[in-house]
C-alpha cells in the first residue's frame, strides 16, 4: 500500500497548503497571456486522444492517457514562440532518482523511476516568501502515534547512501522543473488511487529537490538560502492532480525548525465524459458522440505549471 499525503508530509517534514501558490494561480488568471486562445485547441486534443487516435470503438486508458499527455505538452510548446526561453527545456523519460535522508532516528531513501521529468536550464524561483518560510517554524507536524509513520514502507539494507539526480555533471538542463505521472493502467486496481498518487508525487518531487540540493550544497543538513522548487502533475487521462513543492531545508532529522512546503490542487477534471459512439434510446440520440463538460481551467493550470519560472 502506498502511503497517503499525511504520511508523506511527515516523512518529508512538509507543511501542506491547499490550492495552487499565488505565483501559479496568477498565470492562470492573467488574461494578457492569452491562455484562453488555446482552449479550443486543448478541447480538440482531448477529442483526438479519446475518440480519434484509435481503430477501437472505445480506446483504452493505457492508450489515450499517454496520447493526451503528449497532446497537452505539444500545446505548451507552442508558447515558446511567445516565450523563447521555454525552448530551454528537456523532457526525460524513465528517469531514475535516488535521495537519502534521516528523519528522527530512521534512515529513509526514495529511489526508482520518477515518471517523466521536464528539466530546465534555470531553476523555478521560490514561491514562498522569506516570511512564509520563517512562519513554518510554528507549524506542528502531525504524528501517527502509536502507529509508526513508516508503517508500510519497504525495509531494505542500505549499503550505500545514494543521492543521485540521474544526470551527469555538466548536463545543461540540470534543474528539475516538473514531474509527470501517468496512471494509465487500464484495470482500476493496477492504478494508484488519487490520494496514493498525490503521496507518490510528493515523495518524488521531494526526492528530486533533495538530490539537487545535495548536489549543489553537499550533505550537511541546512536551511537553504535559495529554496528549490519542483512541480508535479499526475493524471489518469481525465482527472488531474497539481502540486508545487518547495524544499526549504535539508535538516530533516527533528520536527523542529523550518519546514518544507507543498501546495496541492486535487482532483481537477479536464472533462466530464468522452462518448465514443452516440447513445441512442428509442431512435433518439440521448448522448451525442464527443467530449462533454470540458473544463478549461484544468487545462490552464497544466499550462501555468509549464510556464511557471519563465513567464
Amino acid at each position: 500500500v502506498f502511503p497517503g499525503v499525511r504520511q508523506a508530509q511527515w516523512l518529508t517534514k512538509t507543511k501542506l497548503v491547499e490550492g495552487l501558490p499565488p505565483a501559479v494561480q496568477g498565470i492562470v488568471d492573467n488574461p494578457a497571456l492569452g491562455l484562453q486562445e488555446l482552449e479550443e485547441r486543448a478541447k480538440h486534443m482531448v477529442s483526438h486522444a479519446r475518440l480519434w487516435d484509435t481503430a477501437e470503438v472505445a480506446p483504452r486508458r493505457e492508450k489515450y492517457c499517454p496520447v493526451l499527455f503528449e497532446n497537452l505538452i505539444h500545446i505548451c510548446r507552442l508558447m515558446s514562440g511567445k516565450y523563447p526561453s521555454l525552448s530551454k527545456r528537456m523532457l526525460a523519460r524513465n528517469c531514475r532518482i535516488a535521495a537519502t535522508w534521516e528523519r528522527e532516528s530512521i534512515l529513509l531513501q526514495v529511489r526508482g523511476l520518477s515518471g517523466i521529468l521536464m528539466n530546465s536550464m534555470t531553476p523555478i524561483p521560490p514561491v514562498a516568501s522569506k516570511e512564509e518560510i520563517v512562519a513554518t517554524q510554528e507549524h506542528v507536524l502531525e504524528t501517527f502515534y502509536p502507529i509508526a509513520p513508516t508503517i508500510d514502507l519497504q525495509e531494505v539494507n542500505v549499503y550505500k547512501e545514494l543521492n543521485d539526480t540521474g544526470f551527469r555533471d555538466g548536463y545543461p538542463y540540470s534543474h528539475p522543473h516538473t514531474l509527470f505521472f501517468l496512471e494509465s493502467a487500464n484495470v482500476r486496481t493496477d492504478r494508484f488511487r488519487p490520494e496514493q498518487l498525490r503521496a507518490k508525487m510528493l515523495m518524488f518531487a521531494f526526492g528530486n529537490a533533495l538530490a539537487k540540493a545535495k548536489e549543489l550544497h553537499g550533505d550537511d543538513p541546512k536551511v537553504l538560502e535559495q529554496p528549490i522548487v519542483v512541480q508535479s502533475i499526475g493524471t489518469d487521462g481525465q482527472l488531474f492532480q497539481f502540486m508545487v513543492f518547495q524544499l526549504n531545508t535539508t535538516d530533516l532529522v527533528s520536527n523542529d525548525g523550518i519546514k518544507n512546503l507543498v501546495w496541492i490542487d486535487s482532483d481537477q477534471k479536464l472533462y466530464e465524459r468522452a462518448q465514443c459512439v452516440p447513445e441512442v434510446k428509442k431512435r433518439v440520440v440521448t448522448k451525442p458522440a464527443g467530449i462533454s463538460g470540458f473544463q478549461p481551467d484544468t487545462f490552464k493550470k497544466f499550462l501555468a505549471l509549464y510556464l511557471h519560472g519563465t513567464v
Side-chain angles (χ1 to χ4, degrees), residues 38 101 104 106 132 141 173 227 278 306:
L38 297 168
W101 71 103
E104 292 189 339
I106 312 154
E132 286 173 274
L141 292 161
Y173 308 95
Y306 187 92

Side-chain angles (χ1 to χ4, degrees), residues 214-260:
K214 292 191 172 192
E215 178 190 84
L216 292 171
H217 309 297
D219 280 345
D220 289 345
K222 57 157 89 56
V223 174
L224 301 176
E225 190 59 41
Q226 187 69 12
I228 294 172
V229 175
V230 179
Q231 304 181 141
S232 209
I233 297 177
T235 184
D236 63 1
Q238 180 180 22
L239 197 65
F240 282 74
Q241 316 293 335
F242 300 106
M243 183 177 293
V244 179
F245 175 81
Q246 179 167 308
L247 185 76
N248 298 317
T249 181
T250 58
D251 186 358
L252 304 161
V253 176
S254 85
N255 288 320
D256 304 330
I258 300 282
K259 315 294 186 298
N260 298 312

Side-chain angles (χ1 to χ4, degrees), residues 4 22 63 121 143 153 198 232 236 241 244 250 266 297:
K63 177 103 170 76
M121 281 186 166
T143 56
L153 303 188
R198 290 190 289 271
S232 209
D236 63 1
Q241 316 293 335
V244 179
T250 58
S266 307
D297 268 15

